[in-house]
Amino acid sequence: MKLKSNIKLFITCDSGAGAGKTTASKYLSKKYGLSLLTSGLLYRYVAYRILSSKAKTNDIFLKKIIQNINPKALKNKKLYTPEVTDHTSKIAKIKKIRKLLRKYQTKFALKRLAIIEGRDIGILFPKADIKFFFKCSTKVAAKRRFKEFKKINTNITLKKVEKTIRLRNRVDSTRKFSPLRISPGAVIVDTTYINKKQMFRKISKIVEGKLLLKYGRNFKTK
């Protein structure tokens, strides 16, 4: 669906691990022509650059890293190594790094059509047109992630994946700065008992309802 040139739309998608934010944001991005930013990749990129550099990690170094972030850099497969994953969870707690990356996210959000997915985006952008918060049971989230990880790591177990998800969600929801929580006014989508198609129909209805309310029936090109 192509939206008219006068339409402005900014959506945020939050959730814990495996609840559906990434799947939903990619779908919405493709369907409505929204520029997509996965905020987690920003932290992975910073973690990767810190680990791969021998330079001293100070404010100047961090600012330089963030200034060099670009779409191509965020597609680097090395951002998903166990070492980077582990270090990402550590630096994500650092207030200084989160503040620096917030500037990048704020600039991205100024695009005419944009969607950002992450674990605190609804909190960072309280005035977004639509704020989705996806949730599901930990057991269901673990099964979903297990299917994904099993393709690249045959030694991984469902029990280990579930334990990791519980730990990460607990850490993210209890950190002092910008914790994972439901933003006031967010649309909560429980994906525990619905499949992808059902979720897509639900969120599409919400988006188009918002566009209809804001722009009337002629929000899309013919």
Side-chain angles (χ1 to χ4, degrees):
M1 179 186 297
K2 189 173 182 180
L3 301 178
K4 286 189 173 181
S5 59
N6 66 312
I7 304 298
K8 291 184 179 181
L9 181 62
F10 175 45
I11 299 174
T12 63
C13 293
D14 288 301
S15 81
K21 67 179 180 298
T22 300
T23 300
S25 60
K26 286 181 178 179
Y27 170 79
L28 292 174
S29 171
K30 184 177 181 180
K31 182 169 184 177
Y32 300 105
L34 309 176
S35 296
L36 170 62
L37 174 63
T38 299
S39 65
L41 289 178
L42 300 178
Y43 293 95
R44 284 183 176 274
Y45 178 74
V46 173
Y48 167 70
R49 287 294 305 276
I50 290 174
L51 290 173
S52 60
S53 176
K54 296 180 180 179
K56 186 177 180 180
T57 306
N58 52 31
D59 288 357
I60 295 175
F61 177 67
L62 290 173
K63 286 179 181 178
K64 187 176 181 180
I65 288 176
I66 293 168
Q67 286 172 355
N68 291 328
I69 294 176
N70 59 71
K72 185 178 180 181
L74 297 179
K75 292 180 180 179
N76 189 340
K77 292 182 179 180
K78 293 181 180 179
L79 300 185
Y80 295 93
T81 65
E83 294 76 18
V84 170
T85 299
D86 181 60
H87 200 58
T88 297
S89 63
K90 294 177 182 178
I91 68 160
K93 302 174 188 177
I94 301 174
K95 185 176 182 179
K96 176 169 57 180
I97 291 177
R98 298 193 76 87
K99 276 191 170 183
L100 288 170
L101 287 176
R102 182 182 292 182
K103 292 180 181 179
Y104 183 94
Q105 294 167 333
T106 300
K107 184 178 179 180
F108 187 91
L110 293 175
K111 293 176 180 285
R112 184 175 68 86
L113 301 173
I115 181 169
I116 304 181
E117 61 115 332
R119 289 170 169 252
D120 63 348
I121 303 303
I123 298 296
L124 293 182
F125 298 100
K127 294 183 179 180
D129 294 301
I130 303 171
K131 295 175 291 183
F132 283 113
F133 190 96
F134 298 88
K135 67 176 187 177
C136 74
S137 71
T138 304
K139 288 187 178 296
V140 171
K143 288 179 181 178
R144 291 171 181 168
R145 282 297 171 87
F146 178 67
K147 288 181 180 179
E148 295 174 8
F149 294 160
K150 192 70 175 177
K151 297 175 183 178
I152 56 177
N153 183 0
T154 56
N155 295 320
I156 200 165
T157 64
L158 178 59
K159 187 176 181 180
K160 185 176 181 179
V161 172
E162 185 174 344
K163 182 179 179 181
T164 300
I165 287 177
R166 288 187 186 279
L167 177 61
R168 187 176 179 191
N169 287 344
R170 183 167 66 249
V171 169
D172 286 347
S173 61
T174 57
R175 65 183 175 225
K176 292 182 179 180
F177 186 67
S178 200
L180 167 67
R181 66 173 185 266
I182 301 173
S183 172
V187 178
I188 299 173
V189 181
D190 192 331
T191 64
T192 304
Y193 302 109
I194 61 176
N195 57 36
K196 287 182 182 180
K197 287 185 177 180
Q198 291 171 322
M199 178 181 72
F200 293 160
R201 284 198 298 269
K202 185 170 186 175
I203 59 179
S204 293
K205 186 177 181 180
I206 292 168
V207 170
E208 290 173 31
K210 179 68 175 182
L211 290 170
L212 180 63
L213 183 65
K214 191 174 181 180
Y215 295 100
R217 295 184 179 277
N218 299 317
F219 59 81
K220 57 184 177 180
T221 59
K222 295 180 180 180

